[in-house]
Amino acid sequence: MGTKIIYKSYRQNDSLLFPPTLGELVPEDHPVRIVNAVIDRLDMSGIESTYRGGGTSSYHPRMLLKVIVYSYLSNVYSGRRMERLLQENVNYMWLAGMSRPDFRTINRFRSERLSDGRFDELFRQVVLLLNAEGLVSLKVQYIDGTKIESVANRYTFVWKGSVEKSKARLEAKVEAVLKTAESVLSEENGECASEESGVTDLAGRTERILRRMDERGISDRKLRKSVQKVKEESLPKLEEYNGHLETLGERNSYSKTDKDATFMRMKEDAMRNGQTKPGYNVQIATENQFITNYGIYWRPTDWGTMIPFLESFRERYGRQSEEIVADSGYGNEQNYAYMDGEGIDAYVKYTMFHAEMRRKYKGNAFLVQNMHYNEEKDFYVCPMGQHLERVGTCSSVSDLGYRSSVAVYRAKRCNGCPLRGMCYKGKSDSRTIEVNHTADAFKRKARGLLTGGRGLMHRSRRPIEPEAVFGDIKFNHGFKRFRLKSAGKVNVEFGLVALAHNLRKYAAHVRDGLMSVSDSCPSSGMA
């Protein structure tokens, strides 16, 4: 006879004498308690000031913020899914105090209440809490950027070059029609010249031509129809082109379904055809893998975002870091000059940094960088001993308006030189070189920093700082595309991603026993 099987008690509808509270069902070291404790410490007066008195009661903004931040920490980015979890998941029920806002309330809070810099202040407070705990010092920034796709339709593009060409073509066509009409009016009425051709207001000019054609009974119906078409079709189209150009501003493209998004090449290219997609250039600064600053930019290149990004750090914390670490995408004269003026140690590579470290590069005596330079008399000496004297100075202006000065040097005569074939391949009789002394000085300073002991440490840490953070956000937590439209809302959305990342890291420190946090910390007191 077999052993009797005994099952544990299973009664679904039993009433408990002492029913458990929701808090008893949430583990003490669960990340949801970290979110609750940290957000309870924040000053939310900026968000609370957006509420007006009267009417029905509102969900508490602190509760809504906790729900959204915890959702982002848990890889939940959809408002509808947050609504469902508030009804099904015990962690959400405890965090929300059994409140059940719908997805419209959640989305409206996320896109409206947190905008206009209000969320930036909350993020700042969290980073300052990390600073007080000793997790970040704010004295160093490891900076990097990535491109994240917008929610906009990728086929609703507007290109600046195309708009300008189409506008010029249409303006020429309109001008030809109006001039023809003015010429016919002048001939039929015996006028020597047309007064209308000097009118710059195309709409007013067209109306006057049509009125005069009606008054004088112009018989050319085809011409009358062409002028009418200018009024009904061409002029509105020109207004549309002007609107596109106004929206574009300095950009070369934008999306019709998210006008702040610019078309960029993404690393996530499933078709592998280099297709551009609407998106944003996201910049972050990290320290100990905590995000200390973030910014959203339309420029696809990193070098054009560095100065405003560093200025945003100063605005956020009222001070600037002592050290900046970044890759060669940020190393240009303008950025070096800015950091030098701010007294920042720039551990920032430049384009040729790694090439200059190679033996082949150092042993090439024909490269300008390896030629002897007489600073006192301002001339270079080629390997054959001939002087390259300074013959002039030229300047260039970057896309951002920064002006660089370049010195031009030229040898007297290179014909007959046995080393000419190895020296240069131009057809001229004398070699000409261009040198940016200011940029070269900044590069020498950066090279000295990067090859020193502290520079080697920073170079070894940079790949595991911002690059690892972006990899974690994109691939471990699935955030590869924004869900909100417009630069302001996208800034809030990535801010939530950054805050969730920081709290996730902080929770790991607490779980590993490196930190301790109590969710009995001071609270604003929910009504």
Side-chain angles (χ1 to χ4, degrees), residues 143-168:
I143 298 176
D144 201 4
T146 191
K147 298 175 182 66
I148 298 181
E149 189 176 353
S150 166
V151 71
N153 188 320
R154 64 187 63 172
Y155 300 110
T156 58
F157 43 77
V158 176
W159 295 99
K160 190 172 189 177
S162 177
V163 171
E164 289 175 337
K165 289 179 182 178
S166 299
K167 182 187 176 187

Side-chain angles (χ1 to χ4, degrees), residues 32-228:
V32 71
R33 291 189 178 273
I34 302 296
V35 172
N36 183 68
V38 171
I39 293 181
D40 272 343
R41 298 184 186 184
L42 304 183
D43 176 10
M44 297 188 60
S45 57
I47 295 176
E48 292 171 352
S49 66
T50 64
Y51 289 83
R52 294 182 296 177
T56 187
S57 60
S58 302
Y59 286 106
H60 201 289
R62 196 176 297 273
M63 178 274 293
L64 290 169
L65 181 64
K66 289 178 181 179
V67 168
I68 293 173
V69 171
Y70 178 64
S71 296
Y72 273 71
L73 186 145
S74 305
N75 309 336
V76 176
Y77 310 115
S78 164
R80 290 178 184 271
R81 193 174 171 201
M82 293 179 201
E83 177 187 7
R84 188 172 70 250
L85 288 169
L86 283 167
Q87 302 170 12
E88 301 173 352
N89 188 294
V90 67
N91 294 331
Y92 279 83
M93 294 178 185
W94 172 77
L95 193 62
M98 291 304 294
S99 296
R100 292 186 176 182
D102 62 12
F103 72 92
R104 294 183 182 87
T105 302
I106 294 170
N107 289 340
R108 189 162 55 248
F109 179 83
R110 176 171 55 177
S111 62
E112 296 178 9
R113 302 288 186 187
L114 298 181
S115 60
D116 297 328
R118 288 182 284 271
F119 181 81
D120 291 342
E121 170 58 22
L122 299 179
F123 180 83
R124 185 187 74 85
Q125 292 180 48
V126 172
V127 174
L128 291 178
L129 287 174
L130 297 174
N131 176 248
E133 295 276 5
L135 294 172
V136 296
S137 67
L138 300 180
K139 293 181 179 180
V140 59
Q141 296 181 59
Y142 292 88
I143 298 176
D144 201 4
T146 191
K147 298 175 182 66
I148 298 181
E149 189 176 353
S150 166
V151 71
N153 188 320
R154 64 187 63 172
Y155 300 110
T156 58
F157 43 77
V158 176
W159 295 99
K160 190 172 189 177
S162 177
V163 171
E164 289 175 337
K165 289 179 182 178
S166 299
K167 182 187 176 187
R169 189 163 52 244
L170 184 57
E171 284 177 336
K173 184 177 179 180
V174 168
E175 183 66 22
V177 171
L178 297 184
K179 279 190 173 181
T180 301
E182 290 167 349
S183 177
V184 170
L185 285 169
S186 299
E187 289 174 3
E188 294 202 8
N189 291 278
E191 298 175 0
C192 296
S194 171
E195 298 179 0
E196 300 291 338
S197 58
V199 178
T200 56
D201 179 13
L202 289 178
R205 183 178 170 189
T206 304
E207 285 289 349
R208 282 187 282 274
I209 291 174
L210 287 171
R211 187 173 63 251
R212 288 176 62 191
M213 294 178 83
D214 292 338
E215 290 173 352
R216 299 175 188 182
I218 299 299
S219 58
D220 192 339
R221 297 178 61 186
K222 185 177 180 180
L223 181 60
R224 174 69 169 72
K225 188 175 180 181
S226 297
V227 178
Q228 188 67 30

Side-chain angles (χ1 to χ4, degrees), residues 271-308:
M271 301 298 292
R272 297 184 180 179
N273 58 1
Q275 181 185 18
T276 58
K277 300 174 184 176
Y280 296 89
N281 187 354
V282 180
Q283 299 288 315
I284 63 170
T286 68
E287 184 182 356
N288 293 330
Q289 293 189 343
F290 288 96
I291 299 176
T292 56
N293 193 24
Y294 64 91
I296 307 294
Y297 301 93
W298 62 263
R299 292 186 183 277
T301 56
D302 289 335
W303 63 266
T305 66
M306 189 172 204
I307 293 176

